[in-house]
Amino acid sequence: MTIRVARSACALLSFVSPVALAAQSAPIRSTIARTPGAWTDTARTPTERADALAKAMTQAEKLAYVHGFFPPMAKPQAPDMIPSAGYVPGVPRLGIPTLRESDASLGVANQVEQRKGDVATALPASLATAASFDPDIAYAGGAMAGAEARAKTFNVLLAGGVNLTRDAWNGRNFEYLGEDPLLTGIMGGASIRGVQSNHIVSTIKHFVLNSQETGRAILDARIDRTALRESDLLAFEIAIAEGKPGSVMCAYNRIDGDYACENKFLLTDVLRGDWKYPGFVMSDWGAVHSTEKAANAGLDQESGQELDSKIFFGKPLVDAIAAGRVSTARLDEMVHRILTGVIASGLYDDPTPAAAQTIDYAAHAEIAQRAAEAGIVLLKNTGDVLPLAKTARSIVVIGGHADVGVLSGGGSSQVRSVGGIPIEIPLKSGAAASFARITYHASSPLRAIQALASKAKVSFVDGRDPAAAATAARGADIAIVFATHWQTEAQDTPSLSLPDGQDAVIDAVAASNRHTVVVLETGGPVLMPWVDRVPAIVEAWYPGQRGGEAIARVLFGDIDASGRLPISFPRTIDQLPRPRPVESPNGSTKNDASANAGAGDAAALAAYPVTYQEGADVGYRWYATRKDRPLFPFGYGLSYAKMRIAKARFVGGTAASVTFEVTNQGTRAGTVIPQLYATLPDGGAPRLVGWARRSLPAGATATVTISADPRILARWRERGWQVAGGAYTLTLATDADHPVASGKVTLDGRSLQSARAALDTQ
Ligand code: BGC
């Protein structure tokens, strides 16, 4: 069974969800009817309670809790099953909840409208949230998605995507948080904390190195282990420490030969041994390939079992235990870890309601809009074309379907947004065809622009014809071109160029109007051959269901442009570590069904190695090691305010930090995101070790301190993390490429643990 076929099954369902129908009904309180025991004693730790609970379960109950259904394909259907990603029946007599799983990277997902009429609030792309550099924004988005999930009776959210962007080509970059382990870890952790503030479980995913979509089920990621510790694993380590997710989702791919979901080094040595992670490991959907190898390596729960080539944790696990190939102690541990996640998140004591509750969609739309606004990045603003004057007499808006909505990314994260879907285009082919459609949220930038420039004549041309666009632009005060680049799970992008002749439209418009603004709706970097010919460029990402309003507010300066790039934008593809679109083993750049197959087919295909020769030097560090400069660097973004950073004082000793003054010398309020980078005593590329986000009124000065996070100052040594003693170069900068001040400090050598303690006592 391939994912392609399986996903088609959900597309065919025309199911009217009781949840959707009841979505506006009165709140229903859940009641807990469970046998009391040590497990109900909230004075005990989650581990102690899970111990007691696991002991009270029968062997059959334990075996049933370690594998879950994919509801669209499950037979028979349980009465309370609704189409979504997963369902694991609970044990009511002990109060062990049925796990009801939904995707939720950007809000509660409802791909291909498998639950007819069930809408949810669509956040902007995670990459946009990362661009805010604001953990509070990430937390608020997670808390909102978690609240909606809970109200829809879901209690496990498949959220928390923290894979680092190693390839600009990766079709899922929009679902992740960029290329830096610290930014990713902090923002990912905050979002998970937000989800779990609703007393439900969040995952963190995809553990690890699912860095491309092409051939994801057969890809064998090859990387030096120390480099892995200091990059992708570090992002997970930080996010897990910050967010304490109840569950980790292991990835599709192999790492150094072993599948992620049967990789002992990852699941046992690192996750449990080094990180002391107490929660459970669930598989990605269709990512299990064995019974005893997976169970003994540390996989605790097989997800969406119908998508695997067979059910590995059902009868085969019973047999493996009977034959002693998997110990009963290991089964106990699997169950114990699931229960620990369930108890520690608060779900056990505060179960989700049996029927749907009312959702305050209006309040949630505001959260989505704040996130979109905070993540919009002003890339270029020559001659202060922006912010636009509200007194403009004529504005022409061109392309990108800006008359009706904003683009979203595709795949399992797809939210069916409140407000509607004005455009939905099915795919004719490719691995994503069965579960992704090119989808726009109904948030019209055109209407939002008109609302803010009520005296202007605002017109729209669709941008299909460069000459017509140029003619319309010629007579206008301002021309705004909306350019889109769609990306989706299950397919990498075949090109970083804007598709469908949009470059030609931008060139034609810029040639006929000096006041041309390009607004990009993309899931990552795109090439900009016209960059020198366009005075103003705004990166709005996939901005979610209030994206139109957010873009308009930034264009008119109702709020500052405050986002910063969480990802480098190359000038040419030759600058990238893998400068060509990734190829699947059969030579195609597309992630065709065979390269994305489930276990049975995948096993038949030869392993597909991809070597990450850049090691830990991901993104901006890759450019630094090569002494190369991207078009727009990591951390970059302009503000409408004129911020001046001065009087930097760098401090070393037991912990590293910088203190400085920032003054808003402009005439409008603005936001500044100064960043601290460190070069370690043994050299190498500078690393982001901290940042601050401050909003200042015009004329104001603030004193700011940024402490260097010891987790990034440390290097992985055989026996663990070590902050080396010696001279560190600290650089205060506005982005990875633009230093403001730098200084050398000496740090005492110590273990990471003691370096963190030193920081805490500062
Ligand atoms: C994706 C996961 C997702 C799961 C369930 C997989 O294809 O990789 O991110 O959570 O499906 O829908």
Side-chain angles (χ1 to χ4, degrees):
M1 181 68 65
T2 67
I3 290 188
R4 179 188 165 82
V5 174
R7 297 292 195 178
S8 301
C10 53
L12 294 175
L13 284 176
S14 84
F15 179 93
V16 181
S17 152
V19 171
L21 293 180
Q24 297 302 324
S25 63
I28 298 169
R29 290 219 56 79
S30 48
T31 50
I32 317 179
R34 60 188 184 190
T35 316
W39 52 87
T40 51
D41 178 0
T42 53
R44 293 173 194 249
T45 65
T47 310
E48 289 165 354
R49 298 175 69 193
D51 266 344
L53 202 45
K55 286 200 182 88
M57 292 169 80
T58 65
Q59 182 87 343
E61 286 167 345
K62 289 178 193 169
L63 284 161
Y65 215 44
V66 298
H67 59 113
F69 298 90
F70 179 53
M73 294 172 71
K75 287 195 188 95
Q77 290 275 305
D80 63 340
M81 225 178 225
I82 54 174
S84 77
Y87 178 95
V88 187
V91 184
R93 74 183 175 88
L94 294 171
I96 296 174
T98 292
L99 303 180
R100 301 166 64 80
E101 302 170 331
S102 173
D103 279 294
S105 296
L106 320 174
V108 181
N110 185 6
Q111 313 93 355
V112 295
E113 205 178 10
Q114 49 181 323
R115 298 184 305 280
K116 287 274 173 246
D118 186 18
V119 296
T121 303
L123 289 165
S126 301
L127 202 54
T129 293
S132 74
F133 279 65
D134 185 347
D136 292 345
I137 290 279
Y139 179 92
M144 182 284 290
E148 291 196 0
R150 194 180 162 88
K152 292 173 188 288
T153 76
F154 293 117
N155 55 20
V156 178
L157 289 202
L158 314 177
V162 299
N163 295 86
L164 291 188
T165 294
R166 286 182 175 268
D167 276 305
W169 314 101
N170 182 6
R172 276 186 113 168
N173 284 339
F174 73 93
E175 264 190 80
Y176 301 139
L177 297 154
E179 65 192 25
D180 179 75
L182 182 63
L183 180 67
T184 294
I186 298 288
M187 300 297 280
S191 159
I192 290 164
R193 244 187 0 261
V195 169
Q196 295 196 158
S197 67
N198 295 284
H199 294 165
I200 57 176
V201 172
S202 174
T203 60
I204 185 167
K205 66 186 186 184
H206 309 86
F207 193 61
V208 63
L209 281 173
N210 188 171
S211 307
Q212 67 176 54
E213 291 299 283
T214 302
R216 63 183 179 174
I218 54 168
L219 171 110
D220 186 6
R222 306 272 173 86
I223 190 169
D224 168 78
R225 278 204 178 165
T226 302
L228 180 58
R229 293 269 192 177
E230 294 188 11
S231 54
D232 298 68
L233 282 182
L234 183 54
F236 275 88
E237 186 173 0
I238 294 173
I240 288 174
E242 302 283 323
K244 302 190 173 38
S247 180
V248 171
M249 186 192 291
C250 49
Y252 283 118
N253 50 287
R254 301 173 193 249
I255 299 96
D256 281 335
D258 282 335
Y259 283 110
C261 290
E262 51 184 47
N263 194 307
K264 182 178 163 297
F265 166 69
L266 289 175
L267 306 185
T268 300
D269 301 350
V270 173
L271 196 59
R272 291 170 189 185
D274 297 333
W275 299 354
K276 313 280 177 259
Y277 176 70
F280 65 108
V281 176
M282 69 162 74
S283 68
D284 201 342
W285 272 235
V288 185
H289 302 273
S290 64
T291 301
E292 55 260 33
K293 185 168 183 196
N296 291 332
L299 178 65
D300 300 310
Q301 194 176 61
E302 178 183 16
S303 312
Q305 60 191 14
E306 291 79 4
L307 294 174
D308 287 323
S309 59
K310 66 176 191 184
I311 302 174
F312 289 102
F313 279 14
K315 173 83 170 43
L317 183 60
V318 176
D319 295 345
I321 291 171
R325 295 193 306 271
V326 174
S327 66
T328 46
R330 174 64 192 127
L331 175 66
D332 288 348
E333 185 186 52
M334 290 157 77
V335 171
H336 176 271
R337 299 186 79 91
I338 302 171
L339 294 172
T340 303
V342 164
I343 295 168
S345 65
L347 172 60
Y348 184 72
D349 296 316
D350 186 12
T352 37
Q357 296 184 303
T358 307
I359 292 172
D360 187 349
Y361 285 125
H364 289 182
E366 294 296 322
I367 293 168
Q369 185 170 332
R370 296 289 93 80
E373 289 170 357
I376 290 175
V377 185
L378 180 57
L379 295 174
K380 189 175 177 195
N381 194 18
T382 305
D384 289 343
V385 169
L386 295 174
L388 301 176
K390 289 191 176 165
T391 50
R393 282 162 304 143
S394 59
I395 301 174
V396 59
V397 173
I398 299 161
H401 299 290
D403 52 336
V404 292
V406 289
L407 186 58
S408 75
S412 59
S413 65
Q414 183 73 61
V415 176
R416 194 110 204 136
S417 49
V418 179
I421 301 292
I423 300 176
E424 193 173 22
I425 307 166
L427 305 182
K428 294 198 185 76
S429 60
S434 61
F435 73 117
R437 299 173 185 162
I438 302 172
T439 302
Y440 283 69
H441 299 304
S443 173
S444 156
L446 178 72
R447 279 202 294 278
I449 288 167
Q450 178 74 79
L452 292 187
S454 51
K455 296 204 178 68
K457 175 176 167 289
V458 184
S459 54
F460 180 74
V461 288
D462 66 18
R464 272 183 236 169
D465 173 14
T471 305
R474 195 163 298 126
D477 289 346
I478 297 149
I480 310 174
V481 186
F482 283 79
T484 58
H485 186 260
W486 186 69
Q487 290 194 257
T488 181
E489 177 183 344
Q491 288 174 196
D492 291 321
T493 186
S495 168
L496 296 186
S497 296
L498 292 172
D500 307 324
Q502 294 179 94
D503 285 336
V505 173
I506 293 170
D507 264 328
V509 171
S512 68
N513 190 315
R514 291 191 298 124
H515 297 130
T516 292
V517 179
V518 172
V519 177
L520 295 166
E521 291 173 23
T522 73
V526 286
L527 299 175
M528 302 182 209
W530 32 262
V531 67
D532 295 329
R533 298 187 288 278
V534 170
I537 307 169
V538 171
E539 175 57 84
W541 316 106
Y542 303 142
Q545 74 171 51
R546 280 287 189 89
E549 290 80 358
I551 292 168
R553 277 183 29 99
V554 171
L555 290 178
F556 284 99
D558 282 14
I559 47 161
D560 193 17
S562 64
R564 301 292 185 266
L565 293 181
I567 195 170
S568 313
F569 275 45
R571 188 175 288 279
T572 69
I573 57 172
D574 299 322
Q575 296 180 296
L576 299 170
R578 280 156 294 283
R580 300 282 164 263
V582 276
E583 296 200 350
S584 70
N586 62 12
S588 142
T589 54
K590 300 247 166 55
N591 184 13
D592 53 47
S594 61
N596 189 38
D601 305 326
L605 289 162
Y608 162 35
V610 173
T611 301
Y612 293 105
Q613 83 276 8
E614 72 277 20
D617 288 327
V618 182
Y620 62 92
R621 299 187 199 171
W622 168 254
Y623 287 91
T625 53
R626 292 162 51 95
K627 304 207 178 341
D628 196 4
R629 303 190 84 174
L631 177 60
F632 296 114
F634 172 87
Y636 171 82
L638 303 173
S639 156
Y640 294 141
K642 303 264 175 288
M643 299 288 190
R644 182 162 174 273
I645 293 174
K647 298 187 189 163
R649 276 172 290 122
F650 297 95
V651 177
T654 53
S657 66
V658 64
T659 300
F660 54 96
E661 278 184 6
V662 55
T663 304
N664 182 352
Q665 298 180 320
T667 53
R668 47 170 67 237
T671 299
V672 59
I673 306 184
Q675 299 148 40
L676 183 62
Y677 293 84
T679 307
L680 274 41
D682 59 0
R687 306 158 159 213
L688 179 75
V689 292
W691 72 88
R693 182 181 162 108
R694 289 278 184 288
S695 296
L696 290 180
T701 295
T703 302
V704 179
T705 296
I706 304 176
S707 298
D709 194 312
R711 293 174 290 194
I712 310 296
L713 293 174
R715 278 217 185 268
W716 180 258
R717 299 282 176 241
E718 227 165 274
R719 279 189 307 273
W721 291 107
Q722 191 69 32
V723 177
Y728 289 71
T729 304
L730 298 182
T731 303
L732 181 61
T734 52
D735 60 60
D737 236 6
H738 292 99
V740 176
S742 98
K744 270 211 175 343
V745 301
T746 304
L747 281 184
D748 311 334
R750 48 181 67 216
S751 69
L752 176 59
Q753 212 177 6
S754 101
R756 294 197 69 181
L759 185 67
D760 291 344
T761 55
Q762 254 196 351

